[in-house]
Amino acid sequence: MLYEMPIENIYIDESVEDKEPAFKIASKFGISPKIISNKTLFKKILSSKESINEGKKNLLLTENKGEFIKKCPGTSYYTCCGYQIIHFAAFCTMDCSYCILQSYFHPPLLQFFLNYDRLFLELDEVFKQKKKKRFGTGEFTDSLIWEKYTGISKKLINKFKKQSSCVLEIKSKTVNIDSIKHLDHNKKTIFAWSLNTEKIIKSDERNTTSLLARLKAAKECESLGYKIAFHFDPIVVYEGCEGEYLKVIEKMFNYVSPKNIVYISIGTFRFMPSLKNIIEERFPNSKIPYGEFIMGLDSKMRYFKPIRIRVYKKIIDKIRSIAPDVTLYFCMEDDEVWQKSMGFLPKEKGGLVKMLDDSVIKHCELKT
């Protein structure tokens, strides 16, 4: 079942020169759009006590005034994967309690950037360099919620297939893959899903698709020749969580062959202190902000390191028992956690960026 965006109002930024594409997108929602000043809409959302909820129902079709391609916002204290973000939209209609976007955007407001022709020009300049680069579209929004209305993922897949040095990762918690089923992707696109336990999906990932639906979509993409990735992030620590995550891993490998998985990332729940009040207010039944946390070097609250290592080791051991050769990596962890959980340091293999690049070269047949 395709994910439907629950939009109530659509606004077109008055500064958009060519408004025809905006009207076409609005027509797919069955909503008559209104021409409005960007500042006027921001004021409307900010004045609401339910600004996050309102932001998820109001869509602004506008232009990206900055760069479409951005570096992953890592930190020098933890090992970063070094991929490039494609910023074609902002915010998300799905509603995960732990989502940083709730406090990242001020105000949180759904935006889709109509001037993505400039994105393609930026990509052309990168492709000319013929250097290995990994791009992802799931940092500031979910990659696939827009697909039914804009076809942006289809456009990107068709763009990436024409070159041989870069790869595109499309990460999602939904299953809107109909538009990509019959594309010639030339192995330059990886489809990725964020996975969690049934308990966390039910309690803290509102309006997302089920675990089973995500795995079935991954299996279908695998059958279409796409390579696959999975992200266990955030791993949430609660009583009995280890056993439940191990069950998810078993299900994952029942649907997708290890030989077609480019990499699997893992990372425990971490959050800026300001997010706690938002979770408490918007998800009063959620238990996730009440774990054993300490402030990390990046000023985010993290589980105590021994807790992270204990959970990591069990998950890593399970994955390796089924798929010993699959590339595993941490999202934002330090050398001690790598050594005690993985048994090695990234620098021993040339660094995390090289580890991931090597796996992409192998699976996606990149050339430089």
Side-chain angles (χ1 to χ4, degrees), residues 106 112 143 162 168 174 177 200 208 218 226 238 240 251 261 302 308 328 330 340 343 353:
H106 301 284
F112 183 81
S143 298
K162 298 174 183 177
L168 169 69
T174 188
I177 60 174
I200 296 301
T208 65
Y226 290 97
Y238 57 89
K251 289 180 180 178
I261 298 177
R302 292 169 171 261
R308 303 199 317 262
L328 272 175
F330 287 123
K340 291 183 177 179
V353 171

Side-chain angles (χ1 to χ4, degrees), residues 177-185 224 226:
I177 60 174
D178 283 2
S179 70
I180 59 87
K181 287 184 178 179
H182 304 294
L183 298 182
D184 172 18
H185 51 80
L224 297 169
Y226 290 97

Side-chain angles (χ1 to χ4, degrees), residues 149-356:
Y149 311 98
T150 69
I152 186 65
S153 292
K154 179 180 178 179
K155 293 178 176 71
L156 285 167
I157 293 169
N158 284 329
K159 184 71 175 178
F160 272 78
K161 76 176 182 183
K162 298 174 183 177
Q163 54 77 53
S164 59
S165 57
C166 299
V167 69
L168 169 69
E169 180 180 348
I170 295 175
K171 182 169 68 174
S172 184
K173 290 191 182 84
T174 188
V175 295
N176 291 4
I177 60 174
D178 283 2
S179 70
I180 59 87
K181 287 184 178 179
H182 304 294
L183 298 182
D184 172 18
H185 51 80
N186 194 27
K187 296 184 179 180
K188 298 304 177 288
T189 295
I190 299 167
F191 270 91
W193 275 270
S194 297
L195 302 183
N196 224 307
T197 65
E198 300 276 12
K199 177 183 176 68
I200 296 301
I201 291 173
K202 183 177 180 180
S203 64
D204 290 88
E205 295 186 359
R206 294 174 183 160
N207 303 327
T208 65
T209 50
S210 68
L211 173 63
L212 183 59
R214 299 178 205 183
L215 294 175
K216 285 182 176 179
K219 181 178 181 178
E220 186 168 7
C221 285
E222 179 189 29
S223 73
L224 297 169
Y226 290 97
K227 298 303 178 179
I228 307 299
F230 293 107
H231 300 282
F232 286 86
D233 190 1
I235 293 168
V236 180
V237 177
Y238 57 89
E239 185 176 355
C241 71
E242 291 99 331
E244 293 187 18
Y245 279 108
L246 300 190
K247 290 179 181 177
V248 175
I249 292 167
E250 290 174 354
K251 289 180 180 178
M252 176 181 73
F253 286 120
N254 285 337
Y255 278 87
V256 177
S257 170
K259 69 179 182 180
N260 291 318
I261 298 177
V262 184
Y263 40 69
I264 300 171
S265 76
I266 52 179
T268 49
F269 176 47
R270 55 206 178 276
F271 60 98
M272 297 300 293
S274 60
L275 187 61
K276 183 178 180 180
N277 289 338
I278 295 174
I279 296 174
E280 289 175 331
E281 181 177 342
R282 299 193 65 242
F283 294 80
N285 295 322
S286 176
K287 302 296 191 295
I288 70 169
Y290 308 117
E292 297 182 62
F293 296 107
I294 190 171
M295 185 170 287
L297 296 173
D298 55 358
S299 298
K300 291 183 179 180
M301 304 304 295
R302 292 169 171 261
Y303 293 114
F304 284 113
K305 190 173 289 186
I307 295 175
R308 303 199 317 262
I309 292 172
R310 185 194 76 223
V311 175
Y312 283 151
K313 287 181 68 175
K314 291 185 178 181
I315 288 174
I316 291 166
D317 288 348
K318 183 64 174 181
I319 292 173
R320 284 178 172 167
S321 72
I322 301 173
D325 298 324
V326 73
T327 298
L328 272 175
Y329 72 98
F330 287 123
C331 184
M332 295 296 166
E333 281 291 3
D334 62 21
D335 281 356
E336 182 182 1
V337 173
W338 273 88
Q339 185 64 59
K340 291 183 177 179
S341 303
M342 293 279 194
F344 69 91
L345 299 179
K347 63 185 178 183
E348 296 171 9
K349 299 190 177 185
L352 178 54
V353 171
K354 184 178 186 301
M355 284 172 53
L356 298 178

Side-chain angles (χ1 to χ4, degrees), residues 29-41:
F29 285 93
I31 296 174
S32 297
K34 302 173 185 176
I35 309 297
I36 192 169
S37 153
N38 196 315
K39 292 181 180 179
T40 300
L41 181 57

